[in-house]
């Protein structure tokens, strides 16, 4: 990176006008990231818009191959096709890119990083570091401390994913559809394959030949890469739910070594990026409404799976736009600056 060791960095945000782009700007402010200049990049549709950063308005520029002149760090959230097309130009211009899309995640040359799990992988980068899928991030943050002491052999996960994971337009669709539905009116589904208001859709991303969705297979492959264990057996079912922000997951694991629910609570209480919320007698457990806007991954409902030898079930909730996207990427960028 140009100016490595210098105090402040020139940062470009690709997809700055989107749901993740918005969180990028807020979190850079909150964490006082050492920004020298900021450049906001998006499509022609956003030309002329101005976005606020640290109390000042900055114009949105149209993303092109010359956008990265003088840029040290690129934070990208404009989708996989834009990342494939433009990040090579950013790397040529000398920038390091933290990419939120799925474009480079399984590329062997590209580290796939969750700082709580595999921060050391950052050092192997050749200009691009991939930020994992939101559902994968929150799951591995919760499971890594357990894997270290008890070795996880198998994971069965069902996700309950909020609409914001798929962008700002999906958030608007849930809001508008809900209003119309309650008013007894019909409303078309433009963004989702079916009505999302007062419904669940067991499809996120497209179906593959094995009848799983791409999102489900991302959880399998990305988890193995991040945890550095190609043998963990994983089965995922990903479901879209009518929630605006934060993804929830029912996670069941089988471990090699026996571990109790009490031990897991103790380990997770000390683990970075996690808040244990597990007092069922007080009706206390993680919920998306409580995770929205927060940085921590919330873990609760931790209980032994009595149907197998060494099994455990838990419930994991996190803000998909923060830890699932922008926050994790900025935590990676922070390590680049140290
Ligand atoms: O590869 P794809 O298929 O294009 O996928 C992109 C999708 O992935 C989401 C992203 O969210 C988008 O839905 N996404 C990206 N990273 C993600 C992550 N980690 C993620 N989702 C979850 N987790 P988004 O919709 O919130 O943000 C979109 C941003 O991408 C910019 N963008 C799109 N095309 C671009 C581009 N930037 C540069 N060049 C391109 N060709 C996009 O900017 C936004 O910042 P924008 O200017 O296109 O959108 C600004 C506003 O306009 C709205 N809008 C978008 N499309 C249309 C539209 N309005 C009218 N008509 C449209 N066709 C947006 O809602 C936004 O408010
Ligand atoms: O691989 O909820 O980052 O539709 C982007 C879209 C994750 C899921 C990714 C969604 C996906 C997300």
């Amino acid at each position: 990176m140009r100016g490595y060791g210098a105090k402040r960095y020139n940062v470009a945000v690709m997809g700055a006008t989107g749901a993740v782009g918005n969180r990028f700007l807020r979190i850079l402010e909150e964490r006082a990231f050492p920004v020298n200049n900021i450049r906001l990049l998006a499509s022609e549709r956003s030309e002329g818009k101005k976005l606020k950063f640290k109390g000042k308005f900055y114009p949105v520029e149209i993303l092109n191959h010359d956008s990265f002149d003088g840029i040290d760090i690129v934070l990208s959230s404009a989708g996989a096709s834009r990342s494939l097309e433009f990040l090579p130009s950013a790397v040529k211009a000398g920038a390091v890119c933290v990419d939120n899309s799925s474009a480079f995640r399984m590329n062997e040359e590209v580290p796939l990083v969750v700082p709580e799990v595999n921060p050391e992988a950052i050092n192997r980068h050749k200009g691009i570091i991939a930020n994992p899928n939101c559902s994968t991030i929150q799951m591995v943050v919760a499971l890594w401390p357990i894997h270290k002491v008890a070795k996880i052999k198998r994971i069965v996960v069902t996700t309950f994913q909020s609409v914001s994971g798929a962008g700002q337009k999906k958030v608007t669709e849930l809001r508008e559809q809900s209003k119309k539905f309650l008013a007894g009116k019909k409303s078309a589904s433009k963004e989702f394959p079916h009505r999302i208001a007062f419904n669940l859709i067991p499809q996120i991303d497209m179906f593959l030949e094995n009848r799983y969705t791409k999102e489900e297979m991302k959880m399998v492959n990305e988890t193995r890469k991040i945890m550095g264990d190609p043998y963990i057996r994983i089965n995922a079912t990903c479901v879209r739910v009518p929630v605006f922000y934060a993804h929830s997951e029912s996670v069941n694991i089988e471990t090699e070594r026996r571990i109790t629910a009490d031990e897991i609570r103790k380990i997770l209480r000390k683990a970075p990026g996690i808040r244990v919320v597990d007092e069922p007698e007080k009706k206390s457990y993680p919920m998306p409404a409580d995770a929205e806007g927060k940085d921590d991954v919330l873990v609760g409902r931790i209980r032994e799976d009595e149907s197998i030898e060494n099994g455990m079930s838990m419930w994991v909730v996190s803000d998909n736009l923060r830890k699932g996207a922008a926050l994790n990427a900025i935590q990676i960028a922070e390590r680049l600056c140290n």
Side-chain angles (χ1 to χ4, degrees):
M1 185 188 334
R2 187 187 300 103
Y4 185 76
K7 273 265 163 15
R8 310 197 80 76
Y9 301 83
N10 296 331
V11 177
V13 178
M14 254 169 77
T17 50
V20 176
N22 169 279
R23 300 313 185 277
F24 270 138
L25 298 182
R26 300 292 78 81
I27 295 170
L28 288 171
E29 287 177 345
E30 281 168 25
R31 297 173 74 91
F33 192 90
V35 176
N36 181 34
N37 281 314
I38 193 143
R39 188 170 294 163
L40 309 178
L41 304 168
S43 70
E44 312 72 42
R45 292 188 291 270
S46 291
E47 202 182 3
K49 274 193 193 163
K50 287 195 163 79
L51 299 177
K52 208 172 181 179
F53 179 68
K54 288 193 180 172
K56 259 181 71 182
F57 281 94
Y58 292 84
V60 176
E61 301 171 36
I62 300 176
L63 173 65
N64 66 65
H65 289 281
D66 301 321
S67 295
F68 308 102
D69 205 21
I71 294 294
D72 301 305
I73 298 174
V74 177
L75 301 171
S76 78
S77 65
S81 45
R82 259 71 60 189
S83 293
L84 280 170
E85 184 178 351
F86 292 99
L87 293 191
S89 301
V91 174
K92 256 191 220 134
V96 179
C97 310
V98 186
D99 181 29
N100 237 305
S101 82
S102 59
F104 297 98
R105 287 179 190 151
M106 296 314 296
N107 184 323
E108 279 179 21
E109 305 263 284
V110 175
L112 181 65
V113 177
V114 176
E116 287 86 345
V117 180
N118 62 338
E120 67 289 343
I122 293 173
N123 303 326
R124 290 191 277 101
H125 81 79
K126 295 177 180 165
I128 299 176
I129 300 163
N131 199 61
N133 165 273
C134 35
S135 302
T136 306
I137 293 178
Q138 67 184 68
M139 184 172 82
V140 299
V141 166
L143 294 186
W144 181 248
I146 303 170
H147 186 59
K148 276 197 289 189
V149 300
K151 196 162 189 343
I152 296 171
K153 292 198 298 191
R154 180 166 183 253
I155 304 168
V156 178
V157 56
T158 303
T159 69
F160 304 70
Q161 298 185 216
S162 68
V163 296
S164 60
Q168 192 54 46
K169 282 193 284 180
K170 309 280 199 293
V171 173
T172 308
E173 177 148 304
L174 172 59
R175 188 172 292 124
E176 297 305 318
Q177 238 178 32
S178 302
K179 278 192 224 160
K180 284 195 179 148
F181 190 82
L182 289 174
K185 289 186 213 150
K186 270 220 152 92
S187 82
S189 299
K190 278 194 244 113
E191 297 294 325
F192 291 107
H194 302 278
R195 192 186 84 218
I196 184 63
F198 306 96
N199 195 17
L200 304 178
I201 304 175
Q203 175 188 354
I204 296 179
D205 214 331
M206 60 200 264
F207 280 98
L208 301 169
E209 243 171 51
N210 65 1
R211 300 178 80 86
Y212 284 80
T213 61
K214 229 171 157 179
E215 180 78 353
E216 289 160 354
M217 294 315 293
K218 282 182 224 166
M219 291 194 77
V220 174
N221 297 321
E222 295 181 22
T223 299
R224 288 174 171 163
K225 179 168 174 178
I226 299 160
M227 307 224 313
D229 186 343
Y231 301 108
I232 297 187
R233 284 170 287 157
I234 307 168
N235 183 272
T237 304
C238 294
V239 182
R240 183 80 65 195
V241 299
V243 166
F244 288 110
Y245 300 104
H247 291 354
S248 306
E249 299 176 341
S250 164
V251 183
N252 177 270
I253 57 171
E254 185 179 354
T255 57
E256 207 156 278
R257 197 178 75 69
R258 200 181 140 61
I259 186 164
T260 66
D262 276 339
E263 284 176 285
I264 287 186
R265 273 185 287 271
K266 220 161 131 194
I267 291 165
L268 294 186
R269 276 198 192 97
K270 284 188 256 165
I274 293 178
R275 187 149 61 85
V276 175
V277 182
D278 197 13
E279 292 177 287
E281 63 287 356
K282 294 185 187 159
K283 300 191 181 66
S284 165
Y285 27 71
M287 292 185 290
D290 296 327
E292 180 182 333
K294 307 265 168 48
D295 287 349
D296 283 333
V297 173
L298 311 183
V299 188
R301 298 294 321 276
I302 301 166
R303 60 212 192 277
E304 280 151 51
D305 174 354
E306 294 166 354
S307 73
I308 50 169
E309 195 71 25
N310 297 330
M312 197 69 60
S313 287
M314 64 198 81
W315 178 249
V316 180
V317 182
S318 185
D319 188 321
N320 54 299
L321 297 179
R322 285 187 158 255
K323 186 58 187 172
L327 173 63
N328 194 72
I330 288 172
Q331 288 170 324
I332 293 170
E334 286 171 347
R335 285 175 186 258
L336 288 169
C337 300
N338 285 327

